[in-house]
Every structure is written in structure tokens, then in C-alpha cells.
Amino acid sequence: MAACNLAAQTIISGIVSDGKEPLAGVNIFIIGTIDGCLSDSLGQFSFATTKTGEATLKASCIGFEDYTLSTDAGQMSNLTIRMTEQAESINEVVVTASTFSFGKSENFKTMDALDVVMSGNSCGDIVAALQTLPGTQMVGENGKLYVRGGESDECQTFVNGMHVLVPYSTNTENSAVRGRFSPFLFKGINFSLGGYGGEYGQALSAVLPMETTDAATSDKYGVSASLVDWNAGGTKAFKNSSLSFNAALTSMGLYNRLFTERFDFTRPYRKLSGEAQYKKEFSASSVLKSYVGYDLTSVGQHIDGRNLSLKENNVYANATYKTTIGRGYTLFAGIANSSVFSDIDNARTAGDHYHNFRNEVHLKTEVRKVCSHVLKLSAGVEDYIRNSQLKYDVYRYQLDYNILAAHVDAQWRVIPRVFLNTSVRAEAMNSAWLLMPRTTLSYVPNKHVQFSLVAGRYSQTAEDDYLAMSRKTLKQSSADHAILSMQYQSKGTLLRIEPYWKKYRHLPLLVDGIYRPDGFGTSRGVDVFVEDHSLSKRLITTLSYSFNDSERLYLDYTKARTPDFASRHNLRLTAKYAVGKCIFGIAESYASGRHFPVGKTPHYNSVDMNLTYLLSPKVIVYTSLNNVFDRTNIFLYDASGTPVTATRDRFLYIGIFVSLKNNKAYDISNF
């Protein structure tokens, strides 16, 4: 028996267990006194107390819920106490099904801003870095994100919860674009390949939510330069706020003179960018964030006997405010505006002119409440107000519409180790309402293993061109997702296997010259991801494999077939090794051939390498070489059967990053 004070008149005794086995070391005591003891190896306890009459006994043990019993002290002998294992709070468990998180976001950390920059094939581009993950497909002719058999526009980007209408820079046809946001803007990037909650809409396949960094606490300024881009930026910190700016010029002029390329550019690709942010913390729980960014892009190319000239202005701004309003409630409110002006001279024939303007205002408010340690609720409403116009010779349209949406989400710990995330989203366009239930059921037996079953319906409005040609009769397209996620995570290894299935309805289909909502499709497959840190403390390796079997009838297809952008097999291997002041990275990318009406392309293969050298605490030199073995990859075949390749097979990048005030390089854009 446990050693206890036996001098008192009332003896408290009994046995404590978890219902299966006795528990040793449980602290048992009378509340309001110093009387108590620990249970012994057999779960038995006995101690004396001077307490008489009504008393409250408490038993506590790490990993178990506290046990209390209130009764007369004289009746507390020969007790049988059964402890209930303590389940993790809803705030302590993050369901990672179909989501990869980077930076300081909540889930498994696989990549931060520096890793994005130093990824073997990214050249500092978020989109290119994300293409090392499973579920993404290699579409080299435009470089955009294609996820699990879905079109590129089925993946939508959100900054601080607010929608971005056009997240890519522009370029000529059959040339890869880049994401228009620097990875250093963000403290957290959560890339969801499917099965996301009710907060996110207008995305059939995937969402890319990114959260900007918090207010800076110190000033920082810096510059960078390379063969293709030049950058200057900084942050001025105040007591509870910060103001930041960044300016960049990208130009392929010098690079085109140094290295040959296949395309005949009459004017090199140029992009002038400017960004600013203001952040203020009114209190620890009240934060205002604002962002504005502007890109001016231009390029000219001699093609098919005409001098194509492209110019685009892209403006994006948002402001969000988050604050607690008492009793566990948090209020979020935001507004965002996207405006894109595109002008193309000699677009299809010499002398023609194409003009397109697109604008979106996104309004959103949401209330969140932590009801208890087992239940969190949120509810929100939002409005997408869109207008666009197109002028091309005699063809013109003016389009105005809005999409109203509301959602309710609940995160519930059903029983210990079992979690249920369920939501309902409703969207209305042209007075037609669409109801979309979404559910994730997760079993988390321990901190290393997760199993999740995800199911839901998702919707998206057709592109403005199709909507206009349908005379606004197109209803929203929808996709049903079903995902089984299995994940194992140890200190040095992450393994995730995810079979998935998607079914598309109401895709735009060209019928008798008019787009109708009669298209359909399916996509199924499995994704495998392995990241390992255990082979060496200096080495990080990843393996991403995706199998996709998709088929659809949409747009101008005359029969159901594998879409042009889908390849059945995608494999990516990466390794990063750090030694001294150097970090060496290598990536191998493989994709099986893609199907076109005139034939199937050969497989895609590229080996990419990079080297980062810390010249001093404030200076970093970064170099990368894509497609080391100079393989000519054929991306697609045009209507005449001519193969389409990249403007050049290999790309060399050399850049230097200098911090002028802070003690770390790469802080120039970390605002």
C-alpha cells in the first residue's frame, strides 16, 4: 500500500484503474486540504483525513481526465475509481488530410520560404515549388497548377482568406508563367489538394490559402540582383505597426542576348512590380492587415508572320481585420479587389486588337467561436461581385454578375481520437442556389498516425468567355470529392498515401456554337508522398508519385477522353544536402506522355540542380540550372501535329541577395 498519514480519524481508500489495468502514480487528495497520497503499483491508495462531513475527492494523472467525487468523507472507503483517458483538445489536433503546409502554418512543416526559393526547379517561384508535391501535374507550356486531373483554373488562390482573381503573371502562348507573389510575403502556405472546408468556394479541385507575415518588430532593407531580375525592398517598424514596400524589375533582355532561344522575340519579356503592406496590432487579439500589389507585364513575339504584342496590368489589393469580441467569439471581416487589363496587338491576324478587362470585388465576414475543448463553430457570408468586358474586332461582350455564398462549419471531437469536421456551403448565382455538404472524419490513434475519410461537393462558375457565349445560361459546374488519407509521421519521416475520386457535372460543353452545362467527367488516382530527414542530419529527401486516370467531355470535345493536360504518371524526387556554408539541391521530374487528337507526346524528364552559398551573414549567392542534361521535352502537339517545346531547353539562374540593415539575407522581401 502507498505510504500515507494514518493519524487522522477518517480513512480514505480504494483502487484506481483505466478500466483495464491499475494505474500507478495517480495523485488522489481531498480538495481544500493537504490530505492525500499517490496510488501504488497495484493502483491502491489509502490516506487519513481530518475532514468530516461533505468533502470532494479529486484524482489526477497526466494523460487522463480529472476525476472528482463529492460525498460524505465517511463514505470514501473502498472506492473504485475509473480514470478516462484524456483526449486531445480540438485545438491540439490538426487534420492534415489532403493538405500540405509550409512555413509557420499549423500542419506538418515541409517547406518554408527559403525552401521555396532553393527548391531545385523553382527559381524562387511558389507555383514551381508546389509542383514537387503529389497530385500536381507537369504542364510545361504554361507552368500553372493542375491538380488531380483538374484544369488550372480549378485551383484558386486566397491571401489572408480573400480571393485572388488572377494569381499568375502573363506570358506568350506556350511559355511558362510564374506566380505573381513572392514566397517571403507569407508566414504560412496551406496547399489543399481537395476536400477543403466550407470557408472556400469557387474552386473545383484545389485551394492555395496563404497568410501574410505579422507586423515587423525591426527595420529591414535589402536588394537582390540576377541575370533576369532586380529587387529592392524594406520595412519600417513602428510601436505596434509596420509599413513595407517592395519593387522589382524582371527582364529577359540580357539573358536572351547571352543564351540562344527558339522563339523569335521582338521585345523581351519584362515585368515591373510594386507591392506595399501596412499592418497594425491594436491589441494581441485585434489585427489589421492590408496589401496592394501592381504588375505591368509586356512581351513581343514574331509568330506566324505577325508581330504579336502583349501587355497586361494586374492590380490586387485587400484589407482584413480580425478581433475577439468576447465569450469565445472571433470576428473576421475582409474586402479584396482584383483588376486585370489585357491588351494584345496582332493577336491572331496582323492588324487586329484584343482587349479584355476583368474585375472582382470580394466581400467576406465570418464569426468563429470556441464552444469548448471539443467543439469549434464558424459561420460566414461572402459576395463575389464580378464584371468583365471583351473587345475583339466585331465580337464584344459586357458581363456583370455576382455570386452570393454562406457557410457553416463545425469541428467536433466526437470521442477521444475521433474528430469530425463538417460544413455546409450554399452559393447562389442568377437566383439558382446550390447546396454543398462537406465532411471529414478522422481517426488519430496517436501523434504519429492519422486516418481520414473526406467527402464533399464543390462548385465553380465557368470562365467569363464561356459564360458570355452561353448567353449567361451556364449553371455552376460541380465536382464531388471522395478521399481516403493515410499518414504516418515520426521525428524524421512523413509518409502519406491518398487514393481519391472526383466526379464532374455541368462542365461547359460547346453544342451548336453555344456553351451549355452538359459536360461531365471523372478523375481518380492515388498520391504518395515521402519526406525523410533521418538518413543524415544534413540531408532531406522527398519522393512524390501520382497516378491519375481522368476522362471528361467538355469545351469542344466531341467525345469523352483523357484531357490534354493530364498525364497518367508523375514522379518527382528531390534531395537537399547542407555542408558548411553551402546547400546543394537536386530534383528529378518525370511525367508520362499526354494524349492529343494527333498523337501522344513522349514522356517528360528533367534533372534540376541548385547551389546556395552563404557568403556572409548578410549575403547569399544562389545558382540553379534546370534540365541539366539538355533534354528537349515536347509539351504538346498543335492542331497541325507540330510539336511544341520550351523556348530553351536549359535555364541558368544566378542571383545575389543582400540585407542592408538586418542580420539575415533574404529579408529584403520578408515583409
Side-chain angles (χ1 to χ4, degrees):
M1 302 290 288
C4 303
N5 181 7
L6 302 177
Q9 296 179 346
T10 303
I11 303 298
I12 310 297
S13 63
I15 187 170
V16 59
S17 72
D18 63 359
K20 298 178 182 179
E21 298 179 350
L23 293 176
V26 178
N27 184 23
I28 302 129
F29 60 96
I30 299 296
I31 293 178
T33 74
I34 59 172
D35 302 328
C37 68
L38 300 176
S39 60
D40 64 13
S41 60
L42 300 177
Q44 299 175 347
F45 65 91
S46 178
F47 63 90
T49 181
T50 57
K51 184 76 173 180
T52 59
E54 185 75 15
T56 299
L57 178 140
K58 182 175 182 178
S60 63
C61 183
I62 295 175
F64 292 86
E65 303 280 359
D66 289 345
Y67 171 91
T68 58
L69 172 66
S70 296
T71 186
D72 189 275
Q75 299 179 10
M76 293 185 182
S77 59
N78 299 318
L79 296 174
T80 299
I81 297 176
R82 180 175 176 177
M83 303 286 287
T84 301
E85 189 171 356
Q86 186 180 50
E88 292 170 301
S89 165
I90 192 73
N91 291 318
E92 295 173 332
V93 173
V94 178
V95 176
T96 59
S98 214
T99 298
F100 289 87
S101 296
F102 315 123
K104 298 179 181 177
S105 46
E106 294 177 339
N107 302 331
F108 186 89
K109 178 182 174 182
T110 62
M111 192 180 298
D112 59 19
L114 286 181
D115 292 320
V116 170
V117 170
M118 297 176 189
S119 178
N121 61 344
S122 75
C123 291
D125 181 35
I126 290 178
V127 173
L130 292 175
Q131 289 170 349
T132 64
L133 295 176
T136 61
Q137 297 185 300
M138 176 57 64
V139 184
E141 67 268 24
N142 64 33
K144 297 180 180 180
L145 282 172
Y146 290 76
V147 178
R148 289 179 173 173
E151 273 272 26
S152 61
D153 65 352
E154 294 177 19
C155 177
Q156 295 295 308
T157 300
F158 296 81
V159 173
N160 294 337
M162 307 307 296
H163 185 240
V164 181
L165 185 63
V166 180
Y168 300 103
S169 62
T170 189
N171 211 333
T172 56
E173 188 176 5
N174 299 324
S175 296
V177 301
R178 290 172 62 88
R180 64 178 302 239
F181 298 106
S182 164
F184 297 103
L185 288 171
F186 307 105
K187 69 174 181 179
I189 301 173
N190 294 297
F191 183 36
S192 177
L193 302 168
Y196 30 94
E199 178 183 359
Y200 297 110
Q202 290 300 295
L204 280 180
S205 289
V207 293
L208 178 60
M210 302 185 287
E211 183 182 356
T212 58
T213 56
D214 297 325
T217 57
S218 62
D219 297 347
K220 54 182 116 175
Y221 306 101
V223 295
S224 68
S226 75
L227 294 175
V228 298
D229 55 8
W230 299 265
N231 184 300
T235 293
K236 178 64 179 177
F238 305 98
K239 183 177 180 181
N240 294 311
S241 63
S242 63
L243 178 64
S244 308
F245 70 92
N246 195 61
L249 172 64
T250 301
S251 175
M252 293 297 298
L254 175 61
Y255 196 93
N256 288 346
R257 286 194 293 269
L258 293 175
F259 303 98
T260 58
E261 41 83 22
R262 294 188 179 95
F263 295 175
D264 184 8
F265 287 104
T266 59
R267 187 172 69 254
Y269 175 89
R270 294 190 183 98
K271 185 176 76 168
L272 178 64
S273 303
E275 297 171 298
Q277 287 193 89
Y278 177 72
K279 305 164 189 172
K280 183 171 178 61
E281 296 179 355
F282 297 95
S283 68
S285 57
S286 296
V287 178
L288 170 70
K289 290 184 177 182
S290 62
Y291 168 86
V292 60
Y294 168 70
D295 293 342
L296 170 61
T297 308
S298 65
V299 62
Q301 181 183 354
H302 184 75
I303 180 173
D304 297 333
R306 68 188 193 278
N307 290 326
L308 180 145
S309 177
L310 183 149
K311 180 180 178 181
E312 182 177 275
N313 293 271
N314 191 332
V315 183
Y316 176 74
N318 74 23
T320 62
Y321 180 66
K322 184 165 63 175
T323 185
T324 57
I325 52 178
R327 298 188 176 182
Y329 287 95
T330 300
L331 173 67
F332 172 89
I335 180 172
N337 185 86
S338 298
S339 299
V340 183
F341 305 81
S342 298
D343 289 276
I344 306 176
D345 291 323
N346 307 311
R348 294 182 179 175
T349 60
D352 68 5
H353 179 74
Y354 171 94
H355 171 78
N356 180 227
F357 167 71
R358 298 176 62 193
N359 190 81
E360 177 189 81
V361 176
H362 183 205
L363 306 173
K364 179 178 179 180
T365 184
E366 187 178 50
V367 176
R368 304 160 186 166
K369 178 174 173 57
V370 179
C371 301
S372 68
H373 67 285
V374 300
L375 179 64
K376 291 197 299 185
L377 299 174
S378 65
V381 294
E382 56 190 318
D383 191 8
Y384 297 84
I385 306 169
R386 294 176 176 173
N387 62 85
S388 64
Q389 59 180 251
L390 184 142
K391 299 177 183 178
Y392 179 70
D393 289 344
V394 296
Y395 179 70
R396 304 179 175 219
Y397 70 69
Q398 175 78 38
L399 199 61
D400 299 280
Y401 63 96
N402 74 303
I403 305 163
L404 290 170
H407 73 273
V408 177
D409 286 66
Q411 299 180 48
W412 178 32
R413 191 196 76 198
V414 183
I415 57 176
R417 299 191 177 94
V418 176
F419 299 83
L420 178 67
N421 291 9
T422 184
S423 64
V424 175
R425 183 178 178 89
E427 291 185 352
M429 179 183 171
N430 297 331
S431 301
W433 283 91
L434 181 63
L435 196 65
M436 294 166 284
R438 305 169 183 181
T439 298
T440 300
L441 180 65
S442 299
Y443 174 56
V444 188
N446 54 58
K447 64 181 181 180
H448 300 296
V449 179
Q450 280 195 24
F451 299 96
S452 296
L453 182 62
V454 184
R457 175 163 292 180
Y458 304 84
S459 72
Q460 188 168 346
T461 303
E463 290 185 22
D464 287 351
D465 288 350
Y466 305 142
L467 199 59
M469 291 182 66
S470 75
R471 300 167 188 166
K472 295 181 71 171
T473 60
L474 278 178
K475 62 175 68 175
Q476 293 202 73
S477 302
S478 66
D480 296 330
H481 294 197
I483 304 166
L484 175 62
S485 178
M486 298 166 282
Q487 177 175 297
Y488 170 79
Q489 176 184 337
S490 67
K491 184 177 180 180
T493 303
L494 171 66
L495 168 65
R496 183 183 295 179
I497 303 173
E498 289 191 351
Y500 63 87
W501 173 87
K502 292 194 291 185
K503 184 173 184 178
Y504 292 92
R505 296 182 176 89
H506 308 303
L507 297 174
L509 179 66
L510 189 63
V511 180
D512 298 327
I514 297 177
Y515 282 99
R516 303 185 186 278
D518 299 333
F520 58 87
T522 59
S523 180
R524 57 190 176 184
V526 61
D527 295 336
V528 179
F529 180 75
V530 181
E531 177 173 297
D532 187 81
H533 304 241
S534 64
L535 298 176
S536 167
K537 65 179 181 180
R538 300 178 182 273
L539 178 66
I540 300 174
T541 60
T542 67
L543 179 150
S544 299
Y545 171 72
S546 299
F547 168 79
N548 177 259
D549 178 21
S550 57
E551 184 179 82
R552 59 172 63 188
L553 175 66
Y554 82 136
L555 301 185
D556 59 352
Y557 286 20
T558 57
K559 63 178 181 179
R561 62 180 177 87
T562 300
D564 299 344
F565 54 80
S567 50
R568 184 168 288 245
H569 303 279
N570 283 266
L571 174 67
R572 297 175 182 90
L573 304 169
T574 70
K576 185 172 69 174
Y577 187 78
V579 53
K581 297 181 178 181
C582 294
I583 301 175
F584 174 74
I586 185 169
E588 154 69 17
S589 299
Y590 166 87
S592 57
R594 292 156 53 191
H595 293 271
F596 292 86
V598 295
K600 181 181 178 182
T601 64
H603 70 271
Y604 172 92
N605 191 72
S606 178
V607 176
D608 311 314
M609 303 174 66
N610 63 32
L611 179 66
T612 304
Y613 180 70
L614 184 63
L615 195 61
S616 77
K618 293 187 177 184
V619 180
I620 291 180
V621 177
Y622 171 77
T623 64
S624 68
L625 179 62
N626 288 8
N627 198 9
V628 173
F629 297 111
D630 204 24
R631 174 185 169 87
T632 299
N633 287 300
I634 297 175
F635 296 137
L636 56 87
Y637 294 115
D638 63 18
S640 65
T642 303
V644 174
T645 62
T647 180
R648 50 176 56 88
D649 292 328
R650 284 193 294 203
F651 188 85
L652 173 67
Y653 182 90
I654 302 175
I656 183 169
F657 300 79
V658 182
S659 176
L660 301 178
K661 190 171 180 75
N662 212 334
N663 61 356
K664 293 189 299 181
Y666 283 99
D667 262 353
I668 57 173
S669 298
N670 190 3
F671 61 87

